[in-house]
């Protein structure tokens, strides 16, 4: 029997490649007596991540944001669902929602962002950083607060922008870095040891 189970809620809205990395690393895995489980939650019934989770035998919870009159009402429901799961960590991985103080005052969460924050906040970070003329872009994991992509930085790594890079090749390198950095940061935050 494991001494303890650590639950990780993963919020996503689309493709779900980071969700998949978290599932592969943490779903029904054991780390020196601690078991880990992943609980996927999405705001989009058509999100590909639902299929990704299903392929790993996990049903996602769907809270369709279009069914709520306001951001606050959606966040109230999301908070209720999360409190019911009572996770040790809430991870936003491609969760394309601006959250309100109803969320941030109730839930401690971390978010993955594909730039060297505080540079290039928002939804077009990869393209903006590629076109910036900088020699490096990168990936950040940060705490979620009431500001957009503005919470305390927890982990950050660079990705070089080489003269031969295209937006596509740079995007691939960013994704690879995300797939490495997010699980690593989750390990550290949960105090998990191999
Ligand atoms: C990632 O680039 C993440 O940084 C951003 O949205 C993307 C999600 O990708 N917030 P995926 O759905 O995990 O494949």
């Amino acid at each position: 029997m494991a001494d303890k189970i650590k639950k990780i809620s993963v919020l996503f809205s689309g493709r779900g490649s980071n969700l998949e990395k978290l599932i592969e690393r943490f779903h029904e895995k054991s780390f020196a007596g601690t078991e880990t489980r992943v609980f996927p939650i999405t705001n989009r019934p058509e999100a590909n991540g639902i299929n990704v989770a299903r392929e790993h035998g996990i049903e996602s919870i769907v809270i369709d944001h279009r069914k709520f009159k306001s951001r606050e009402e959606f966040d109230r429901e999301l908070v209720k669902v999360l409190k019911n799961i009572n996770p040790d960590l809430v991870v936003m991985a491609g969760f394309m929602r601006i959250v309100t103080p109803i969320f941030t005052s109730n839930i401690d969460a971390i978010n993955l962002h594909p730039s060297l924050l505080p540079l290039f906040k928002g939804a077009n970070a990869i393209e903006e950083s590629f076109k910036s003329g900088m020699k490096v872009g990168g990936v950040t994991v940060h705490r979620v607060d009431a500001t957009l992509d503005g919470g305390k930085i927890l982990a950050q790594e660079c990705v070089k922008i080489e003269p031969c890079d295209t937006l596509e090749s740079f995007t691939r390198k960013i994704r690879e870095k995300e797939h490495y950095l997010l699980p690593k940061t989750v390990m550290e935050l949960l105090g998990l040891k191999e």
Side-chain angles (χ1 to χ4, degrees):
M1 254 294 266
D3 300 338
K4 174 152 174 48
I5 295 178
K6 293 216 172 180
K7 300 187 223 171
I8 306 162
S9 288
V10 181
L11 308 183
F12 66 97
S13 299
R15 189 178 40 231
S17 69
N18 287 285
L19 167 69
E20 181 158 46
K21 294 296 163 195
L22 293 173
I23 289 173
E24 286 169 355
R25 191 96 170 89
F26 298 112
H27 190 63
E28 295 183 343
K29 297 290 184 292
S30 182
F31 297 87
T34 301
E35 266 183 31
T36 50
R37 265 183 219 159
V38 173
F39 295 79
I41 302 177
T42 185
N43 64 310
R44 288 194 169 270
E46 68 281 12
N48 182 60
I50 296 174
N51 304 323
V52 169
R54 203 168 278 153
E55 278 161 22
H56 291 269
I58 316 169
E59 273 314 304
S60 304
I61 295 174
V62 180
I63 311 171
D64 186 346
H65 67 274
R66 287 161 292 205
K67 293 193 172 147
F68 295 83
K69 281 199 210 86
S70 63
R71 284 191 186 280
E72 285 75 13
E73 272 189 40
F74 170 80
D75 280 2
R76 214 165 273 131
E77 179 64 17
L78 181 56
V79 167
K80 196 170 99 192
V81 167
L82 282 169
K83 292 226 162 163
N84 198 31
I85 296 170
N86 192 23
D88 296 273
L89 187 63
V90 177
V91 182
M92 294 185 177
F95 187 57
M96 306 309 275
R97 295 282 303 169
I98 294 171
V99 289
T100 69
I102 290 181
F103 183 92
T104 51
S105 61
N106 279 290
I107 303 289
D108 284 328
I110 63 169
N111 180 48
L112 173 68
H113 186 78
S115 79
L116 290 175
L117 288 174
L119 298 177
F120 312 115
K121 296 177 176 178
N124 297 313
I126 299 181
E127 190 168 347
E128 284 172 18
S129 98
F130 180 71
K131 290 183 174 163
S132 68
M134 290 176 66
K135 299 285 187 195
V136 289
V139 168
T140 304
V141 181
H142 64 92
R143 289 217 178 277
V144 175
D145 67 10
T147 63
L148 176 68
D149 298 327
K152 181 174 187 249
I153 293 172
L154 300 172
Q156 191 164 56
E157 290 208 8
C158 290
V159 173
K160 277 193 178 168
I161 305 174
E162 308 282 2
C164 60
D165 269 324
T166 60
L167 178 58
E168 288 66 38
S169 67
F170 176 63
T171 302
R172 268 198 304 278
K173 290 197 282 185
I174 289 285
R175 301 253 180 266
E176 267 173 40
K177 188 63 93 179
E178 290 189 321
H179 294 164
Y180 156 78
L181 188 63
L182 186 58
K184 179 172 180 277
T185 309
V186 169
M187 282 287 286
E188 287 165 7
L189 290 174
L190 289 178
L192 297 171
K193 301 259 180 310
E194 294 289 354

